Amino acid sequence: MQVEVVEFGRAAARWDLVEAFLSHRREVFVDRLGWDLTLSEGYECDQYDVVSVASYVVAHDAGMVLGGARLLRCNSRIGNGKTVYSYMIRDAWRGVIGIPRNICWESPTTSPNSWELTRLLTLEPSPRIVRGILDGVNDFLWSRHAKECLFLGPPSFMRMARMFGYAPSAMGSLVENKDGRFIAFSCPVIDRHLQRPAQTDHPHSEKMTIV
C-alpha cells in the first residue's frame, strides 16, 4: 500500500487519485450512509473542495484507491460572498454549517501551522489503511512545519488515533445530528522516528509520497 498526498498544480498526473477518492466519498457517505450531501458529476463535493485550497491524502494499491481524507490549512478563506468559509470545525463553531456549535468549547485556531483532516474513509474496515492514512498525513504535515492536526469524525476515530501512538485531545463535546455522532480533537504533529512533537528535522517515509 502507498499513501500519496496530492496538491493541485504540483502533480496533475496524480489527480486521478483525487477523482477516485471523491467518487468513493459519494459511495460511502451518500449511497451507503444516506447523508444529504452535494453531488457534482458523480462526485461528492462541498464548499471545502476547492482545488487551490484543499489537499488530499489517498491510500492506494497500484492505483486502486483504498481510502483517503481531505486536508485544509486552518487559515483558509473560501468564497467571496455573504459567507466566507474557513474549515469545517471552525465553521461549525461559527454556526454556518449543520454541525452543533458545541463541537468546540472555544474559538478554533486560525494558525497557518494547524491543519484540519475531514472526510476520512476506507473502502473496507481496515485499521491498517486508517493507520497508513494518519501516518501519511502526519509526515506530510511534518514536512510543512505544521504543529497540530485537527480531526472531525466519530468517537471511534479518536480512539484509533490513540491506539496508533498519537495523543488526541478533545476540542469540545461529543455532538450529534441526523448523520451521526461526531467529535473534534487535536493531535500534535510528531517525528515518528523519534516519537516527539514537531521541531525542525523532517522524517523520510517510504510509504508516503508528496505530489
Side-chain angles (χ1 to χ4, degrees):
M1 181 180 73
Q2 184 177 3
V3 177
E4 298 193 32
V5 179
V6 183
E7 300 174 279
F8 184 77
R10 290 176 61 90
R14 304 308 288 156
W15 202 251
D16 62 309
L17 295 176
V18 176
E19 292 178 342
F21 168 64
L22 295 175
S23 179
H24 289 312
R25 274 174 40 179
R26 185 207 70 233
E27 295 171 9
V28 171
F29 297 124
V30 178
D31 298 343
R32 187 187 308 171
L33 297 178
W35 293 6
D36 183 16
L37 300 174
T38 303
L39 298 179
S40 176
E41 298 181 355
Y43 303 133
E44 187 269 298
C45 297
D46 62 21
Q47 64 268 37
Y48 303 102
D49 290 298
V50 177
V51 295
S52 60
V53 178
S55 301
Y56 299 90
V57 53
V58 183
H60 66 95
D61 184 2
M64 179 177 294
V65 171
L66 306 173
R70 176 179 62 201
L71 283 170
L72 290 172
R73 197 187 290 265
C74 289
N75 65 343
S76 298
R77 290 177 58 85
I78 300 171
N80 298 307
K82 182 178 180 181
T83 301
V84 177
Y85 296 95
S86 54
Y87 60 96
M88 289 190 75
I89 294 172
R90 184 167 183 268
D91 288 344
W93 181 85
R94 293 168 60 213
V96 298
I97 62 174
I99 297 174
R101 297 187 65 172
N102 59 329
I103 191 75
C104 284
W105 292 312
E106 57 186 36
S107 178
T109 181
T110 56
S111 169
N113 294 320
S114 299
W115 293 63
E116 178 197 62
L117 182 147
T118 54
R119 289 295 197 265
L120 176 73
L121 67 84
T122 62
L123 299 183
E124 58 184 71
S126 169
R128 178 183 69 94
I129 298 173
V130 176
R131 181 165 193 166
I133 292 170
L134 294 187
D135 287 348
V137 167
N138 178 85
D139 293 354
F140 168 75
L141 296 183
W142 178 266
S143 77
R144 294 295 190 269
H145 306 281
K147 300 302 182 185
E148 66 173 343
C149 186
L150 314 185
F151 298 83
L152 178 64
S156 59
F157 188 13
M158 185 173 176
R159 292 193 295 269
M160 292 182 76
R162 184 176 293 112
M163 181 177 68
F164 296 149
Y166 295 96
S169 177
M171 299 172 62
S173 302
L174 178 64
V175 302
E176 187 172 356
N177 65 12
K178 60 183 176 59
D179 295 326
R181 301 165 71 223
F182 303 95
I183 190 167
F185 63 94
S186 170
C187 286
V189 176
I190 61 173
D191 181 340
R192 291 196 299 115
H193 288 180
L194 301 178
Q195 289 295 300
R196 60 178 173 79
Q199 298 292 329
T200 56
D201 298 328
H202 299 156
H204 173 73
S205 172
E206 294 181 355
K207 293 171 63 179
M208 185 196 70
T209 304
I210 301 171
V211 296

